[in-house]
Amino acid sequence: VKALEIFVQMQSDNLEHGLTNTTVLREMAEICEEAGDEKNALSTYEQILHEDRDDREILVKVVQLLKKNHNTDELSSYLERIHQLWPDNNNFTIEYGNALMEKNQYPQASAMYSEIVELYDETSDKNDDDVKIASLKIGECLLKMGDAKAAYEIFRELVKNDNKFKEAWDGLA
């Protein structure tokens, strides 16, 4: 509590001089988060992003807090921003696709997942799990869009390649 008071005073002094110190804001946000004050932590992280729009670490923290609080509307916009900044990061792409699915935007979500599948390098097993997950999600999107036949083919192929892939079995069923 005392540390937070000191950082708040430092931030107030900075604002009086027309300055923003993101290091002070980071400390404040971390203290708030550790104290369980997620609302103020989120607000402070957003202040940091106002100064440094592309700060990956802070964007990820904001996404984590929004997911924790089930704030899907804001979450989707942050995930879209992260995806635009780092389109080659499969984790961000899958998360963005998941957010789109939660908003019933299945064609857009399927397009996100397709990006991962299309870039798959068969000579590398590094991203094989990402491709399996993305393929599964494409199948789920197709099923939700009413194309049960195409979804069935995807689920069947996934099960054929990995007979212990529970989610693929669920989709097939």
Side-chain angles (χ1 to χ4, degrees):
V1 174
K2 185 68 175 163
L4 182 58
E5 290 173 4
I6 292 169
F7 286 120
V8 167
Q9 183 59 47
M10 290 171 68
Q11 181 62 14
S12 293
D13 293 344
N14 286 334
L15 289 175
E16 285 178 17
H17 294 92
L19 303 171
T20 301
N21 185 332
T22 57
T23 304
V24 171
L25 290 172
R26 284 175 188 272
E27 293 294 336
M28 290 170 52
E30 287 178 22
I31 291 169
C32 289
E33 198 170 355
E34 287 176 17
D37 186 358
E38 293 171 354
K39 182 180 176 185
N40 280 326
L42 183 59
S43 172
T44 306
Y45 286 137
E46 288 174 337
Q47 289 177 39
I48 295 168
L49 290 174
H50 183 71
E51 295 300 315
D52 185 4
R53 183 171 167 71
D54 300 342
D55 187 317
R56 183 178 184 160
E57 177 187 350
I58 300 303
L59 282 166
V60 169
K61 286 182 182 257
V62 167
V63 164
Q64 289 170 341
L65 286 173
L66 291 172
K67 280 174 66 174
K68 188 174 184 182
N69 293 318
H70 306 289
N71 191 337
T72 55
D73 290 335
E74 282 186 70
L75 176 63
S76 182
S77 67
Y78 279 103
L79 287 169
E80 179 180 15
R81 189 156 104 192
I82 289 174
H83 175 70
Q84 288 173 348
L85 290 168
W86 298 282
D88 296 334
N89 185 305
N90 290 348
N91 291 333
F92 294 152
T93 301
I94 288 172
E95 285 293 325
Y96 182 41
N98 292 346
L100 290 170
M101 282 184 71
E102 286 183 27
K103 294 171 70 176
N104 298 327
Q105 296 177 352
Y106 302 112
Q108 298 91 328
S110 181
M112 290 290 105
Y113 301 128
S114 293
E115 290 176 14
I116 295 170
V117 174
E118 290 168 5
L119 295 175
Y120 176 60
D121 178 8
E122 291 184 18
T123 62
S124 169
D125 60 289
K126 182 177 108 177
N127 55 5
D128 189 46
D129 287 341
D130 292 344
V131 172
K132 284 174 30 179
I133 299 279
S135 296
L136 176 78
K137 293 295 188 172
I138 291 170
E140 290 175 4
C141 288
L142 289 169
L143 195 58
K144 294 286 187 175
M145 292 186 296
D147 191 350
K149 184 176 181 179
Y152 171 80
E153 292 300 323
I154 289 173
F155 295 136
R156 192 179 77 182
E157 189 65 28
L158 287 168
V159 167
K160 190 169 113 179
N161 292 334
D162 180 0
N163 65 4
K164 294 183 181 180
F165 192 7
K166 181 191 175 313
E167 291 84 357
W169 278 107
D170 290 345
L172 191 59

